């Protein structure tokens, strides 16, 4: 038990320190993900030290102090995504259907064959927009019946797990498929016309994750997010950015994206809404996101039922309110944030 406690303490402290290092390599970025798991293990670890550690008193106090500091750090990082945190996005006070927009985001998992289950979940939630990710030609064929209810669509089926299908009941204005960073990783950029005739700007993304079997660095993911942040900042229309970002809500990169884009995260102050991994309850992270400009308020957000994918779909219902920007405040970048973002974007031209 003595050796186990020391090894566990060292590992937990190392995992936290590695996640603090702002390096793009996957061995650092992957430890951004299990922050809640590290917190729970750290609490267990400090209890083990208090009740079972039999080493020298100095070591006892040192381990207890370090793990307690680790708990404090992790707790501060996680609190904003619990009901105890401050809400970035406020609830609506009165429904205005003509200014509303509901969205379902679903990474279907390309090898998943339960397209009927996915279609049933879409029918059940009945969103205005549906974004399906990891969709290849088979998924495109098996979900074509969505055209009956969704008169507007942008389809980019690919066999590399980065295909995407966007279906909309609302008119899509000037839709475009762009490859911002990598030639085989698309994103969909389109205007969406609300029922009252107002145009909003939608960006649908699915950048690559920093994992050894796909991309050993987070560089390309970070570039795509920051390029989209620039587009959002420059847009004259209200903005919504949706997709599987392959990044957790509390990471430095996601926070940098929010600061540089001026967008808000509806999760903050409400909960994790973990979407991945659907089959491993103790290892779940919030990877699928909807970020919105300050002129939107929230009607509803929820995680939907899984239908064979490794991701849960997520559903969000929003409402445009012109006065919302006065009541809601985006995070501001400091000089260091701007320098980091500028450096990451400059790398695009040098790759």
């Amino acid at each position: 038990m003595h050796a186990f406690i020391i090894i566990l303490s060292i590992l937990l402290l190392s995992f936290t320190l590695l996640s603090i290092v702002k390096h793009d390599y996957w061995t650092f970025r992957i430890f951004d993900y299990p922050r809640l798991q590290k917190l729970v293990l750290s609490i267990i670890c400090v209890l083990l030290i208090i009740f079972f550690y039999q080493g020298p008193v100095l070591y006892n106090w040192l381990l207890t102090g370090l793990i307690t500091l680790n708990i404090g750090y992790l707790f501060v990082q996680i609190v904003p995504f619990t009901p105890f945190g401050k809400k970035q996005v406020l609830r609506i006070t009165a429904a205005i259907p003509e200014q509303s927009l509901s969205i379902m985001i679903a990474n279907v998992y390309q090898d998943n064959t339960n397209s009927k289950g996915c279609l049933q979940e879409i029918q059940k939630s009945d969103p205005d927009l549906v974004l399906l990710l990891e969709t290849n030609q088979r998924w495109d064929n098996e979900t074509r019946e969505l055209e009956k209810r969704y008169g507007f669509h942008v389809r980019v089926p690919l066999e590399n797990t980065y295909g995407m299908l966007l279906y909309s009941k609302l008119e899509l204005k000037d839709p475009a498929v762009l490859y911002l960073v990598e030639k085989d990783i698309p994103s969909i950029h389109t205007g969406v016309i609300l029922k009252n005739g107002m145009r909003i700007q939608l960006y649908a993304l699915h950048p690559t994750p920093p994992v050894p079997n796909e991309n050993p660095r987070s560089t390309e993911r970070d570039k795509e997010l920051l390029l989209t942040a620039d587009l959002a900042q420059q847009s004259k229309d209200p903005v919504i950015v949706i997709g599987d970002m392959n990044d957790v809500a509390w990471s430095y990169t996601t926070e940098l994206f929010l600061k540089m884009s001026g967008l808000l995260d509806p999760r903050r102050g409400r909960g994790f809404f973990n979407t991945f991994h659907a089959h491993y309850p103790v290892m779940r992270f919030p990877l699928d996101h909807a970020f919105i400009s300050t002129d939107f308020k929230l009607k509803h957000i929820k995680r939907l039922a899984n239908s064979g994918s490794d991701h849960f779909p997520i559903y969000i219902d929003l409402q445009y309110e012109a006065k919302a920007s006065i009541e809601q405040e985006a995070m501001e970048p400091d000089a260091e944030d701007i320098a980091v973002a500028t450096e990451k974007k400059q790398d695009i031209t040098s790759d």
Side-chain angles (χ1 to χ4, degrees), residues 282-296:
V282 298
M283 291 298 287
R284 285 181 180 166
F285 317 108
L287 299 187
D288 301 272
H289 305 274
F291 301 121
I292 61 179
S293 52
T294 55
D295 34 23
F296 284 102

Side-chain angles (χ1 to χ4, degrees), residues 218-237:
S218 69
T219 308
E220 287 73 18
R221 179 197 68 187
D222 299 350
K223 289 175 183 178
E224 184 164 350
L225 288 174
L226 290 170
L227 280 178
T228 306
D230 282 349
L231 294 173
Q233 185 67 250
Q234 296 161 10
S235 175
K236 296 179 181 179
D237 300 317

Side-chain angles (χ1 to χ4, degrees), residues 175-230:
V177 177
L178 302 182
Y179 296 81
L180 291 176
V181 177
E182 299 178 82
K183 62 182 180 181
D184 56 348
I185 308 297
S187 58
I188 297 174
H189 302 204
T190 183
V192 180
I193 308 301
L194 299 182
K195 294 174 185 176
N196 67 352
M198 182 175 184
R199 174 181 171 136
I200 65 169
Q201 183 63 37
L202 181 80
Y203 301 102
L205 310 178
H206 187 198
T208 56
V211 290
N213 60 330
E214 291 206 42
N215 194 335
R217 304 180 304 166
S218 69
T219 308
E220 287 73 18
R221 179 197 68 187
D222 299 350
K223 289 175 183 178
E224 184 164 350
L225 288 174
L226 290 170
L227 280 178
T228 306
D230 282 349

Side-chain angles (χ1 to χ4, degrees), residues 89-90 92 96-103 128 194 200 202 239-242 264 266 290-293 295-301 315-321:
V89 181
L90 302 176
I92 64 167
I96 310 174
E98 303 79 29
Q99 297 177 194
S100 299
L101 173 68
S102 58
I103 304 170
D128 295 315
L194 299 182
I200 65 169
L202 181 80
V239 172
I240 301 175
V241 178
I242 59 174
L264 307 177
F291 301 121
I292 61 179
S293 52
D295 34 23
F296 284 102
K297 284 189 177 181
L298 182 69
K299 294 175 72 175
H300 192 56
I301 182 171
Y315 172 93
I316 185 165
D317 197 353
L318 304 166
Q319 181 170 293
Y320 172 81
E321 294 186 14

Side-chain angles (χ1 to χ4, degrees), residues 35-61:
R35 193 158 286 176
L36 180 60
Q37 290 81 356
K38 289 187 291 185
L39 175 61
V40 173
L41 286 174
S42 294
I43 293 171
I44 293 172
C45 183
V46 81
L47 292 174
L48 290 175
I49 294 170
I50 292 170
F51 292 106
F52 296 102
Y53 185 72
Q54 301 295 325
V57 175
L58 179 60
Y59 286 180
N60 187 308
W61 281 105

Side-chain angles (χ1 to χ4, degrees), residues 2-3 43 72 75 81 121 124 130 138 150 152 157 206 211 239 268 277 279 284 288 329 341:
H2 176 81
I43 293 171
F75 182 77
F81 301 92
E121 195 61 29
K124 181 180 176 182
V130 179
R138 176 180 61 80
Y150 295 87
F152 303 90
H206 187 198
V211 290
V239 172
R268 287 179 175 252
H277 193 291
H279 306 310
R284 285 181 180 166
D288 301 272
E329 186 178 359

Side-chain angles (χ1 to χ4, degrees), residues 153-190:
H153 38 76
V154 181
R155 293 192 291 263
V156 195
L158 296 171
E159 302 298 328
N160 64 353
T161 74
Y162 289 96
M164 50 176 59
L165 309 175
L166 178 67
Y167 282 89
S168 175
K169 294 179 182 178
L170 303 172
E171 180 185 355
L172 299 181
K173 195 73 173 177
D174 303 321
V177 177
L178 302 182
Y179 296 81
L180 291 176
V181 177
E182 299 178 82
K183 62 182 180 181
D184 56 348
I185 308 297
S187 58
I188 297 174
H189 302 204
T190 183

